[in-house]
Amino acid sequence: MKSLRPLLPVVLLFGLMAPVAPEASAAKFTGYQKKLLRLHNEARNKRNLPPLRLRGALNTAAVKYALVMDTNNHFDHTGPAPDFTTFDQRIKTECPDCFTTMGENIAFGQANEAAVTTAWMKSPGHRRNILNRSFRFVGFGRAGSEPYWVTNFGG
């Protein structure tokens, strides 16, 4: 049985402007992704922040990394050997010029979307990412029976 690990937030800001990420069809998103989006936007709405919008590239990067963490029993923002990728590298692999501001929240072991969102909102770094006005887009990943959760943010 895997032990419950801490939550880790990361944010990376770039000063250059890049093209906006393309709009993705809502039909391509799963139920858990739509529920996480709703929960994140409820938290933002309470603070008069603009809503986040799902983006396929961020979802793809998040899902792939949740699977990597689950497969390798690995919990860190930097990927396991041999490539040691960072979240911004993983996002840029999916969409090289879409985002100038990026962030990532990861978590392990929360049973459902409400539990992981609550845990993130109680953590100052994760909360900052969820409520960051610079972030306009989001993607979610989940993998494993004791799930690994990944949220990728872009702006």
Side-chain angles (χ1 to χ4, degrees):
M1 177 184 233
K2 298 173 187 173
S3 64
L4 190 59
R5 297 180 185 121
L7 307 168
L8 298 174
V10 174
V11 66
L12 178 68
L13 302 173
F14 292 95
L16 303 174
M17 292 304 293
V20 172
E23 190 73 36
S25 167
K28 296 180 182 179
F29 303 122
T30 67
Y32 81 86
Q33 290 167 332
K34 291 174 185 176
K35 186 166 186 181
L36 283 167
L37 177 67
R38 181 180 56 77
L39 293 167
H40 279 57
N41 281 334
E42 285 174 1
R44 290 173 66 92
N45 187 50
K46 288 177 186 175
R47 290 147 187 95
N48 296 315
L49 294 169
L52 296 166
R53 291 178 290 177
L54 287 170
R55 285 295 178 265
L58 293 170
N59 276 331
T60 299
V63 168
K64 285 181 178 179
Y65 193 56
L67 289 168
V68 165
M69 288 195 297
D70 183 51
T71 300
N72 293 282
N73 192 27
H74 178 83
F75 186 74
D76 196 278
H77 288 284
T78 300
D83 59 358
F84 301 104
T85 59
T86 60
F87 73 92
D88 56 308
Q89 291 169 324
R90 293 186 293 271
I91 292 169
K92 287 179 181 182
T93 294
E94 300 304 324
C95 195
D97 298 316
C98 291
F99 309 104
T100 57
T101 305
M102 294 171 275
E104 178 178 76
N105 286 351
I106 60 175
F108 171 76
Q110 291 79 10
N112 57 47
E113 299 84 354
V116 75
T117 302
T118 298
W120 280 330
M121 288 301 290
K122 288 181 179 180
S123 163
H126 294 94
R127 181 184 179 92
R128 256 190 314 276
N129 277 347
I130 293 169
L131 302 178
N132 186 328
R133 188 176 292 278
S134 298
F135 295 142
R136 298 178 7 224
F137 308 107
V138 69
F140 303 103
R142 177 185 72 188
S145 58
E146 294 181 79
Y148 286 86
W149 300 90
V150 178
T151 302
N152 285 330
F153 299 92

